[in-house]
Amino acid sequence: MKVGLIDVDSHNWPNLCLMKLSTYHKTQGNTVEWWTPDGSYDIVYKSRVFTDSYSRDSLVIPNAAHVFCGGTGYGPGGSNLPDAVEHSRPDCGLYPQFPGTAYGFLTRGCPRDCGFCIVSGKEGRHSRQVADLSEFWDGQREIKLLDANLLACPDHERLILQLADSRAWVDFSQGLDIRLVTPDNAALLNRVRTKTIHFAWDDPNVDLTPCFRRFLELTNIHDFRRLRVYVLTNYGSTHEQDLYRVETLRSMGYDPYVMVYERPSAPPITRQLQRWVNNKRIFRAVPHFADYVPSMAGGGKRA
């Protein structure tokens, strides 16, 4: 059987679902390749993570007996991968442009149920272990962890120890919950070879400053380039609230990174803020937003 794969979003970030499907079908003796319009296929899988705001699916597949579409980009209600596929080791060879990196989940679910995030609705409001590290890591020098809320899992300390014992460089790419940091789990995180640790300050009405200060007292990471914090904008916040979070984080020694919710609808001042903060050369060279965009700095438009 010949299987074709389509990464609808692009190849700028590995599609974990397609990587697992590739391994599964190869172990079944099937031929797997990236779909081409000139080929002929028994099955084609189209996987899409992002919505229309970021990627569109306009591909028509006339050269396959069966076409399956899956992923959060197609909306809620989709079926999960069968267990035999879900627990297949991802085929890292599918993305040779990302050598030496393992991608995967140790936990699924999140108790926060944030309105801008699909995780709680899709995976449940209870963070639970779904795999051990050995399921998707086999010696790569780097691990990109995709968990939505690792620290909310009752088994998180044991899972952090697995990461520490691997001696791989770990990128907590989706963010740890700063509100759930304790002296005990911070001590365990200090044993991990951390490439980057991400947090988030999404709600401008919740003051997380004490949490961020406490973590700095507990962590052995003091390089701001390894302490990144996602700052959600264009979701019920004002420009002043967005700028306050950015400036507060930087003053404490964190590296803020602006995320714009539904970017096409965001006002110009929010998009300018994103450009200023996320272009790190400019952000370090121009310390004040008012100096970056003088004509917009005083704008109090909704962001």
Side-chain angles (χ1 to χ4, degrees):
M1 188 164 65
K2 191 172 181 180
V3 178
L5 306 176
I6 299 175
D7 184 342
V8 176
D9 300 307
S10 78
H11 290 204
N12 295 326
W13 180 271
N15 185 296
L16 190 61
C17 174
L18 294 180
M19 294 165 75
K20 292 182 177 183
L21 284 165
S22 177
T23 295
Y24 173 78
H25 277 286
K26 286 178 178 178
T27 60
Q28 302 302 307
N30 301 323
T31 300
V32 181
E33 66 181 34
W34 291 114
W35 172 86
T36 66
D38 299 327
S40 179
Y41 302 92
D42 298 287
I43 297 177
V44 166
Y45 294 100
K46 300 169 73 176
S47 183
R48 181 181 177 209
V49 176
F50 299 106
T51 61
D52 285 343
S53 298
Y54 296 94
S55 70
R56 297 182 182 275
D57 179 10
S58 58
L59 283 173
V60 177
I61 312 300
N63 56 344
H66 302 281
V67 178
F68 297 97
C69 301
T72 54
Y74 290 109
S79 58
N80 296 325
L81 291 173
D83 281 349
V85 179
E86 179 63 42
H87 295 286
S88 295
R89 185 182 298 279
D91 181 3
C92 295
L94 206 58
Y95 293 90
Q97 65 270 46
F98 301 105
T101 304
Y103 297 81
F105 291 86
L106 294 172
T107 66
R108 294 277 194 172
C110 177
R112 297 298 179 186
D113 197 25
C114 299
F116 56 83
C117 180
I118 66 169
V119 171
S120 295
K122 182 173 181 285
E123 301 178 0
R125 295 190 61 178
H126 175 70
S127 178
R128 67 199 184 282
Q129 180 182 354
V130 294
D132 285 309
L133 180 61
S134 58
E135 184 169 298
F136 60 87
W137 176 79
D138 60 355
Q140 291 92 337
R141 67 176 181 271
E142 183 176 342
I143 298 167
K144 285 195 179 291
L145 200 64
L146 307 178
D147 299 42
N149 201 329
L150 173 65
L151 298 185
C153 176
D155 301 308
H156 74 269
E157 292 189 354
R158 181 170 56 81
L159 296 174
I160 293 173
L161 279 175
Q162 291 182 13
L163 295 169
D165 291 342
S166 74
R167 304 311 297 154
W169 288 99
V170 179
D171 179 355
F172 295 90
S173 67
Q174 301 305 300
L176 295 176
D177 193 332
I178 192 71
R179 293 161 288 190
L180 299 180
V181 170
T182 67
D184 288 341
N185 59 31
L188 294 175
L189 288 170
N190 283 337
R191 297 172 57 178
V192 178
R193 298 181 72 191
T194 302
K195 181 176 181 179
T196 312
I197 191 164
H198 291 82
F199 294 108
W201 191 350
D202 297 318
D203 189 343
N205 299 307
V206 177
D207 184 11
L208 296 181
T209 305
C211 299
F212 284 111
R213 286 179 175 155
R214 180 182 60 177
F215 181 74
L216 291 177
E217 295 171 356
L218 297 172
T219 186
N220 58 11
I221 303 172
H222 298 290
D223 180 351
F224 75 95
R225 292 169 296 184
R226 295 166 59 199
L227 294 169
R228 176 156 289 184
V229 182
Y230 299 124
V231 178
L232 182 67
T233 63
N234 200 41
Y235 191 81
S237 62
T238 64
H239 170 66
E240 289 80 6
Q241 289 175 317
D242 297 338
L243 188 59
Y244 171 80
R245 284 176 288 161
V246 166
E247 292 178 336
T248 300
L249 288 165
R250 179 160 67 172
S251 70
M252 287 189 291
Y254 290 91
D255 184 19
Y257 189 88
V258 170
M259 307 289 288
V260 180
Y261 183 74
E262 294 185 348
R263 194 173 189 278
S265 69
I269 197 169
T270 302
R271 296 196 291 270
Q272 291 282 15
L273 181 70
Q274 183 185 44
R275 293 188 191 102
W276 174 59
V277 174
N278 294 0
N279 187 321
K280 296 307 176 182
R281 292 183 64 182
I282 296 176
F283 189 55
R284 291 161 194 155
V286 184
H288 302 291
F289 182 66
D291 297 327
Y292 178 64
V293 190
S295 63
M296 303 181 70
K301 299 178 183 179
R302 183 177 177 81

